Amino acid sequence: MGRLVAPAGDPAVTFRRFGGGVVAEAANDADIISSELLAPQDPGAGLPVRRVVVRYARNWTPQTTGINGGVSDARRAWLAEPYRATAPAEDAAVAAKHPLAEDLVIDTLLVHAADAAAERDRQLALRSVRRDRLRIRSRLDADLLAAVDVGAVVRVVQPRWRCDAGRLFVVIGPAIDARISGLDVVVWG
């Protein structure tokens, strides 16, 4: 298990679309055999989110009936809800640029309001920009396989999907394809 963060830093591997006489520029370059843009799985179908709410302090047994008469109204309200929730954090610039952008509600096991607010703000910063998922197929190589573990930062350089000048991604799913001695890497960024 890990924490999904925006890609940053030095890439472990640079995946390049070679061709036209271009050869690898560095020892950690890998040839892209094929690549594809994967369908978005986020709530906004690829759009940045405009508002984030983090639900925390889970109430495992919500109650609306059978509560003693001496219980305060505030406590009754808390007992009826499955979670407490942070006030939403919103990015007005995203809402203006993407009118169809959706809200993101995240259920957590966090207990404290301050932790939930910090996670809400982190998620808004992470998801208020466009993110893409790509599947990159490359040759299978032991060094390459060791370098592209889940969470590793990689660079993709190819004339597609805003990667012309090179773009950083985070590896979210490496898989070996033994039929073709290839490595399929799903990246996000």
Side-chain angles (χ1 to χ4, degrees), residues 3 54 56 86 108 110-121:
R3 183 179 199 187
V54 171
Y56 71 99
T86 61
T108 71
L110 296 172
V111 176
H112 303 290
D115 296 336
E119 181 62 13
R120 174 203 61 202
D121 296 343

Side-chain angles (χ1 to χ4, degrees), residues 34-38 133-137 184-187:
S34 67
S35 62
E36 69 177 302
L37 183 65
L38 299 176
R133 282 185 324 127
L134 304 177
R135 176 177 289 120
I136 306 292
R137 175 165 285 172
D184 282 343
V185 181
V186 177
V187 296

Side-chain angles (χ1 to χ4, degrees), residues 5-47:
V5 296
D10 294 329
V13 173
T14 297
F15 289 99
R16 295 184 188 275
R17 171 73 70 170
F18 296 117
V22 176
V23 295
E25 296 178 5
N28 68 340
D29 280 1
D31 189 7
I32 295 175
I33 296 171
S34 67
S35 62
E36 69 177 302
L37 183 65
L38 299 176
Q41 292 183 322
D42 55 344
L47 287 176

Side-chain angles (χ1 to χ4, degrees), residues 4 42 47-49 104 122-129 131:
L4 185 62
D42 55 344
L47 287 176
V49 298
L104 177 63
R122 188 185 82 80
Q123 288 291 334
L124 182 63
L126 185 66
R127 298 173 185 266
S128 64
V129 296
R131 303 289 184 180

Side-chain angles (χ1 to χ4, degrees), residues 24-171:
E25 296 178 5
N28 68 340
D29 280 1
D31 189 7
I32 295 175
I33 296 171
S34 67
S35 62
E36 69 177 302
L37 183 65
L38 299 176
Q41 292 183 322
D42 55 344
L47 287 176
V49 298
R50 64 186 174 114
R51 184 178 318 157
V52 175
V53 174
V54 171
R55 297 182 352 159
Y56 71 99
R58 182 164 184 185
N59 175 4
W60 294 92
T61 54
Q63 293 178 289
T64 55
T65 61
I67 300 171
N68 189 318
V71 175
S72 71
D73 289 342
R75 182 69 179 159
R76 281 179 193 274
W78 161 235
L79 290 173
E81 296 298 323
Y83 285 96
R84 291 188 182 201
T86 61
E90 185 170 348
D91 188 330
V94 171
K97 185 175 179 181
H98 302 283
L100 299 177
E102 295 184 5
D103 296 352
L104 177 63
V105 177
I106 302 170
D107 293 339
T108 71
L109 296 177
L110 296 172
V111 176
H112 303 290
D115 296 336
E119 181 62 13
R120 174 203 61 202
D121 296 343
R122 188 185 82 80
Q123 288 291 334
L124 182 63
L126 185 66
R127 298 173 185 266
S128 64
V129 296
R130 177 180 167 183
R131 303 289 184 180
D132 294 319
R133 282 185 324 127
L134 304 177
R135 176 177 289 120
I136 306 292
R137 175 165 285 172
S138 185
R139 63 180 164 61
L140 183 58
D141 172 292
D143 294 333
L144 180 63
L145 184 59
V148 295
D149 198 9
V150 172
V153 174
V154 298
R155 180 182 311 280
V156 176
V157 181
Q158 67 176 358
R160 305 172 97 181
W161 304 304
R162 303 180 302 138
C163 297
D164 298 29
R167 187 168 154 205
L168 294 179
F169 289 87
V170 174
V171 175

